[in-house]
DNA sequence: GCAAAAGTGTTGTAGTTACACCCATGC
DNA sequence: GCATGGGTGTAACTACAACACTTTTGC
């Protein structure tokens, strides 16, 4: 173990937690994963997935560890959102929390794992009130997700291997809480040349059928798929 | 003192610091404030302004306290940037740092206070290497500042009461590390209607003289001065 | 008059929006 | 044959970039 030059400042040490806003897409709905809190205070109330960090890991690793523990999920997409530190934000004591949002693909396997822990997927409009400042964390995560979604097509982390453009648009409709014009959305997305059309069609949503698409493999070192060229 | 439900998790407690990337504008240059570190390890080397947080305050309050202590500055504009937590980022021990950037108006009073503490203003291109991951923090702060600057005119926090458009453009040139077209920049900024032209001219930079401008008072509850209307 | 920065005008391009319209197919 | 989502085309609008041009004034 490394020597710690700062041990004289012991009394400054803090509780540091991570909280994850977990987004998933199921039954054409953007959903959010919430848990019933396992410890006091507010035991039993709805809360985000969270846990303590420890000093041998980064907060991102802690977030991954916590997600793995509670949901069985691995290799999720994480992005740091914000750090909350109001000493009164948690009635149990002064706790700093580093917030992440996660994007995951919901499949049967994950669904089962999640059920084991008293967790539940809620759509954004049906979300119950959450403990502490977690409602604010959700709002912040959404803002960050919107920002990210305007720089790159985020469906890659939420959708199954093959999907229709209507489904992708549906995600964007829900993230931005508005209706995108189907024609314009299609042209915009296809102009970015990050999707590849498959020969197969999805016949379940319309008579005509809609072509499936998949993401082209992401090139190494390639930064992202900018949706808007404009900058200052 | 409030009771702490979490005391049983003592061994999870962490060192949490704040670091501030302080931007100022002086002699037509965007500058960054760095200090010579006062404690081991890396004592005497250049570092960002930073300090410990304690559990009675938020990290933002800690940042304000630290800035006040080292620079005498009060009422600065702060924005949280990112939280760094790699357990090996600080050779002195596992320390989480919450990063903020600050925008300040440099005047003679602040200059004097700052000199007292072995601090120094550097332009971006002359910045010496900083300790630990602080070079990365600077890069992150710049990115965040660029983002903010494309949503609202940030000069309000950096410039004196009255200023010319050339000076404002000069700030943008340096933040984005490119030359903005003087005519286009002028039209863009004035179209936002957040500036008010004064009758007085600055005759020091040209024969013709350039009108001084000032920011209109910010309306209460008004969010910001968007520079780009476009969204997805 | 000339240099130099301040300030205005003009034109082309490209991203975006709104919306009309055709397509394919199961009923 | 018609309703429905899938998919294409087009015209108007607007932000932006490039750049020409005019203004002012000290030297």
């Amino acid at each position: 173990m490394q020597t710690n030059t700062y041990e004289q400042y012991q009394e400054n040490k803090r509780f540091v937690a991570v909280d994850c806003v977990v987004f998933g897409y199921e039954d054409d709905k953007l959903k959010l994963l919430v848990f019933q809190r396992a410890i006091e205070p507010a035991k039993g109330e709805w809360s985000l997935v969270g846990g303590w960090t420890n000093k041998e890991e980064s907060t991102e690793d802690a977030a991954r560890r916590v997600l793995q523990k509670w949901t069985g999920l691995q290799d999720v997409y994480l992005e740091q959102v914000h750090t909350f530190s109001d000493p009164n934000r948690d009635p149990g004591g002064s706790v700093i929390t580093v917030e992440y949002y996660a994007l995951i693909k919901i499949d049967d396997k994950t669904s089962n794992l999640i059920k084991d822990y008293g967790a539940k997927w809620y759509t954004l409009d049906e979300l119950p009130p959450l403990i502490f400042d977690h409602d604010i964390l959700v709002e912040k995560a959404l803002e960050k997700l919107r920002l990210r979604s305007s720089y790159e097509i985020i469906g890659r982390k939420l959708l199954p291997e093959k999907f229709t453009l209507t489904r992708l648009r549906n995600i964007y409709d829900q993230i931005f809480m508005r209706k995108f014009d189907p024609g314009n959305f299609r042209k915009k997305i296809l102009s970015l040349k990050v999707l590849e059309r498959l020969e197969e069609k999805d016949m379940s949503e319309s008579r005509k059928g809609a072509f499936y698409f998949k993401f082209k493999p992401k090139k190494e070192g390639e930064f992202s798929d900018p949706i808007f060229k404009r900058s200052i």
Side-chain angles (χ1 to χ4, degrees), chain A:
Chain A
M1 187 181 156
Q2 66 181 330
T3 55
N4 193 318
T5 320
Y6 307 128
E7 289 306 332
Q8 56 178 304
Y9 307 106
Q10 271 307 328
E11 78 285 354
N12 276 314
K13 289 178 89 172
R14 311 287 307 269
F15 286 110
V16 180
V18 287
D19 281 303
C20 297
V21 181
V22 183
F23 293 103
Y25 186 69
E26 191 182 37
D27 303 331
D28 287 339
K29 293 283 182 190
L30 186 69
K31 296 182 178 179
L32 212 147
L33 186 66
V34 288
F35 274 74
Q36 280 175 297
R37 191 169 151 93
I39 63 171
E40 289 296 349
K43 188 172 175 176
E45 293 181 49
W46 293 107
S47 120
L48 297 171
V49 195
W52 299 115
T53 69
N54 61 56
K55 66 173 183 295
E56 288 83 20
E57 65 188 356
S58 67
T59 51
E60 183 170 325
D61 286 343
R64 287 186 197 285
R65 175 174 54 73
V66 165
L67 278 175
Q68 155 78 39
K69 176 182 168 192
W70 289 100
T71 69
L73 296 167
Q74 275 178 302
D75 290 325
V76 299
Y77 175 84
L78 282 181
E79 185 174 354
Q80 192 184 115
V81 179
H82 195 79
T83 296
F84 293 82
S85 57
D86 184 320
N88 302 120
R89 54 173 293 280
D90 183 331
S94 181
V95 177
I96 293 176
T97 195
V98 183
E99 178 190 9
Y100 288 82
Y101 76 76
L103 302 181
I104 70 156
K105 298 187 189 191
I106 304 179
D107 55 27
D108 296 341
K109 196 183 60 188
T110 59
S111 292
N112 287 332
L113 270 160
I114 285 164
K115 277 195 206 102
D116 294 345
Y117 283 98
K120 199 161 170 353
W121 288 105
Y122 280 102
T123 59
L124 287 176
D125 49 333
E126 291 172 344
L127 197 67
L130 305 179
I131 59 162
F132 311 163
D133 51 3
H134 285 197
D135 291 323
I136 297 170
L137 271 68
V138 169
E139 203 41 59
K140 269 268 186 190
L142 258 174
E143 279 170 25
K144 196 91 176 188
L145 179 61
R146 285 187 191 119
L147 187 63
R148 163 82 20 202
S149 310
S150 64
Y151 280 107
E152 73 181 307
I153 307 179
I154 38 75
R156 178 177 251 132
K157 306 294 178 179
L158 286 167
L159 288 164
E161 193 61 21
K162 59 184 185 182
F163 53 88
T164 63
L165 286 181
T166 302
R167 226 171 279 276
L168 180 61
R169 174 166 49 81
N170 184 23
I171 291 185
Y172 270 80
D173 282 354
Q174 291 180 64
I175 290 176
F176 288 92
M177 293 173 180
R178 51 169 283 209
K179 291 272 179 211
F180 287 92
D181 180 278
N184 293 338
F185 184 83
R186 158 181 302 271
K187 273 173 289 184
K188 181 78 204 174
I189 297 298
L190 294 182
S191 74
L192 301 175
K193 300 196 183 307
V194 294
L195 297 187
E196 187 182 326
R197 202 184 78 177
L198 307 180
E199 285 317 303
E200 197 185 350
K201 275 189 168 185
D202 170 24
M203 302 302 292
S204 67
E205 301 291 322
S206 69
R207 325 262 187 227
K208 185 179 178 183
F211 280 108
Y212 279 118
F213 286 80
K214 68 171 185 179
F215 282 94
K216 291 182 187 171
K218 203 164 187 172
K219 289 183 193 72
E220 201 55 53
E222 203 180 23
F223 195 77
S224 67
D225 324 315
I227 298 192
F228 297 102
K229 269 85 182 179
R230 296 288 171 83
S231 69
I232 191 171

